Amino acid sequence: MSQTPTQACPSCRAQIAPGLTFCPNCGTMLSAASNYYPTVASTPPAAPSGSYDPTVAAPPPAAQSPENSNYGQATPPPPPSSSSNPNQGIYTHYPAPGTPPPPPQQYQQYQSASGNNPYTPGTYGYPYGQQQGKRRGVSPWLYIGIAIALVVLIGGFFAIKGLIGGTGGSGGACGSGGAGGSGGTANTSKITPSNLAFTYASDNITVTSIQQASKFSDDASTTYGSSKNYVRVNFNESATAKYVIVDYLNSFHLMLPDNTLVKPTQAKQYSAPDGVAPQVNWIDFGTDSSLDLNTLGLRVGAAGEVPMVIPFKTGANLAQYQDKTVKPGSNFTYGPSTWTIVSATRSLSFNGKQATTGNIYISVNLKVKATGNYALYGVNGDFIHLKVGGNTYNSDLGSQASDFDDIEPGTTHQGTVTYLATPASDGNYTLYMEGTKDNVFPSTNAHFQLS
């Protein structure tokens, strides 16, 4: 004879009749448990009316409301106690029809070891994965407002800068241009001294005017430069030699009243005129403030060259920088030939070069007529020398000395020999004609004065 099966409460282990939803002893919900344990090995009890065969898969329970969606779902069985019957049977159990659902289960938020809760409602990782809310994008009107604010700020900055900078506008707004052809802005002044002509490195230069302004429209360096004022020297130039190389930015300096030198910032032309074609040019210098142009000057000459100082004054004495020529017309005999010193010139430049510091160029124009029966051969007049004091100089500069390479009997030649030498303090110079080895042309000296 079999006994009625009973069910053990998973919490207090009290024996209760099957089919109850809650334990009458401790009140634990029994419908969520999926197992009951018969006290003795026996056949399962007959299924209640309207139920199903316990040996086959049970049909799913009726759908529950979302808030009670966990009610009636199978949960893993608790571990069996030591007093449980090892021969117990396992049956799927559903709550009886009409049984009210238990109150919704409350979930305890996860706490980390440090006590912090990394999971909050509405974020990924919250228990049972509550869906994260939709993020709202930044309104485009915010970007438009920022752009308008930036435009207003930038415009205000330049407006204030213009008020601080004074009344001068862009270059060329006022002020007239000189020979260099440019207009200036506020603080413009100009002078036009006359008779300011000199020669530098075989380049004939005539200063036409001097200007000053806070900027010049045809010189970008005055617009973006750091100087408060700029002085421009306008001039015309023409070369006296075939090849002339002038480095304006290193050879020209503005001289202030205290003899301070200011380097150029820009030049219209960066090379001297080609051949003898004239050209218009200007050079700009940056200064800290407006200056009296009549007190300024131009220092011309690169390092290692004879310098020239050109005051910006009408009728300034520049004689010491200008060429000087004498025409002795004196004759002398050299072997069976007659020579004439047609002219002699002292200069600070020759063949596109400026004399080095402490020296000058001496050019002697000679004419020779061979009267004997002997020919005279040389190379670039290498037998014609210049003596100054105790120093002897060779003519190795080219020029027209090649006219004396081959002097045949009965012929006439004329050419120029040029020397780079120290100037004679007393103005006395001597041509020394070197004698030939066969002594047909013995050595000869010819003197001339050039002070």
Side-chain angles (χ1 to χ4, degrees), residues 227-231 254 262-265 284-289:
S227 299
K228 299 179 180 179
N229 187 67
Y230 291 88
V231 174
L254 183 69
V262 180
K263 294 191 63 174
T265 58
D284 290 341
F285 305 86
T287 62
D288 294 334
S289 61

Side-chain angles (χ1 to χ4, degrees), residues 93-237:
H93 183 80
Y94 293 95
T99 302
Q105 183 178 357
Q106 299 295 325
Y107 296 103
Q108 182 179 4
Q109 294 187 359
Y110 169 78
Q111 297 290 331
S112 65
S114 61
N116 297 325
N117 181 11
Y119 303 112
T120 57
T123 61
Y124 294 110
Y126 189 75
Y128 297 94
Q130 293 187 10
Q131 185 177 3
Q132 184 179 13
K134 182 178 179 181
R135 298 179 61 187
R136 298 184 60 187
V138 180
S139 173
W141 291 104
L142 177 61
Y143 295 108
I144 295 175
I146 294 175
I148 294 175
L150 289 175
V151 172
V152 173
L153 288 175
I154 294 174
F157 168 76
F158 283 104
I160 295 174
K161 182 179 180 182
L163 292 175
I164 296 176
T167 60
S170 60
C174 61
S176 59
S182 71
T185 60
N187 195 31
T188 300
S189 58
K190 176 181 177 181
I191 60 174
T192 55
S194 58
N195 299 324
L196 290 185
F198 59 94
T199 301
Y200 170 71
S202 302
D203 185 15
N204 290 337
I205 297 174
T206 300
V207 177
T208 56
S209 66
I210 297 94
Q211 299 171 260
Q212 72 174 341
S214 57
K215 65 179 66 175
F216 292 99
S217 60
D218 54 353
D219 184 356
S221 68
T222 64
T223 301
Y224 302 103
S226 58
S227 299
K228 299 179 180 179
N229 187 67
Y230 291 88
V231 174
R232 168 169 291 186
V233 179
N234 300 288
F235 57 95
N236 298 329
E237 58 182 340

Side-chain angles (χ1 to χ4, degrees), residues 361-380:
Y361 289 103
I362 300 294
S363 297
V364 182
N365 183 266
L366 297 171
K367 183 178 180 179
V368 56
K369 182 178 181 179
T371 57
N373 297 324
Y374 294 93
L376 180 62
Y377 301 101
V379 178
N380 288 330

Side-chain angles (χ1 to χ4, degrees), residues 20-360:
L20 295 180
T21 304
F22 301 96
C23 176
N25 184 40
C26 65
T28 301
M29 185 179 65
L30 302 176
S31 60
S34 61
N35 306 317
Y36 70 88
Y37 308 97
T39 57
V40 294
S42 64
T43 58
S49 175
S51 184
Y52 56 88
D53 187 72
T55 61
V56 297
Q64 302 294 326
S65 61
E67 63 271 14
N68 298 325
S69 59
N70 293 328
Y71 176 70
Q73 293 183 0
T75 58
S81 63
S82 59
S83 62
S84 299
N85 189 346
N87 298 319
Q88 64 187 1
I90 300 175
Y91 296 89
T92 303
H93 183 80
Y94 293 95
T99 302
Q105 183 178 357
Q106 299 295 325
Y107 296 103
Q108 182 179 4
Q109 294 187 359
Y110 169 78
Q111 297 290 331
S112 65
S114 61
N116 297 325
N117 181 11
Y119 303 112
T120 57
T123 61
Y124 294 110
Y126 189 75
Y128 297 94
Q130 293 187 10
Q131 185 177 3
Q132 184 179 13
K134 182 178 179 181
R135 298 179 61 187
R136 298 184 60 187
V138 180
S139 173
W141 291 104
L142 177 61
Y143 295 108
I144 295 175
I146 294 175
I148 294 175
L150 289 175
V151 172
V152 173
L153 288 175
I154 294 174
F157 168 76
F158 283 104
I160 295 174
K161 182 179 180 182
L163 292 175
I164 296 176
T167 60
S170 60
C174 61
S176 59
S182 71
T185 60
N187 195 31
T188 300
S189 58
K190 176 181 177 181
I191 60 174
T192 55
S194 58
N195 299 324
L196 290 185
F198 59 94
T199 301
Y200 170 71
S202 302
D203 185 15
N204 290 337
I205 297 174
T206 300
V207 177
T208 56
S209 66
I210 297 94
Q211 299 171 260
Q212 72 174 341
S214 57
K215 65 179 66 175
F216 292 99
S217 60
D218 54 353
D219 184 356
S221 68
T222 64
T223 301
Y224 302 103
S226 58
S227 299
K228 299 179 180 179
N229 187 67
Y230 291 88
V231 174
R232 168 169 291 186
V233 179
N234 300 288
F235 57 95
N236 298 329
E237 58 182 340
S238 60
T240 60
K242 186 176 182 180
Y243 301 105
V244 177
I245 300 176
V246 177
D247 185 358
Y248 298 105
L249 299 184
N250 287 319
S251 302
F252 287 67
H253 293 79
L254 183 69
M255 178 173 282
L256 303 184
D258 60 356
N259 294 331
T260 300
L261 299 179
V262 180
K263 294 191 63 174
T265 58
Q266 189 72 281
K268 180 180 181 181
Q269 306 288 345
Y270 283 95
S271 62
D274 187 14
V276 294
Q279 71 178 15
V280 175
N281 207 347
W282 51 254
I283 302 176
D284 290 341
F285 305 86
T287 62
D288 294 334
S289 61
S290 178
L291 301 171
D292 182 359
L293 299 181
N294 294 284
T295 64
L296 307 179
L298 189 67
R299 185 185 185 277
V300 182
E305 296 177 343
V306 175
M308 298 181 291
V309 177
I310 314 299
F312 294 155
K313 294 182 180 180
T314 297
N317 184 9
L318 304 179
Q320 56 181 324
Y321 308 128
Q322 297 171 350
D323 295 352
K324 183 175 183 179
T325 300
V326 295
K327 299 180 178 179
S330 55
N331 298 322
F332 64 93
T333 300
Y334 176 50
S337 59
T338 302
W339 295 71
T340 302
I341 301 178
V342 179
S343 64
T345 302
R346 182 191 65 194
S347 176
L348 292 179
S349 65
F350 171 74
N351 201 27
K353 297 179 181 180
Q354 184 76 358
T356 56
T357 304
N359 294 317
I360 59 173

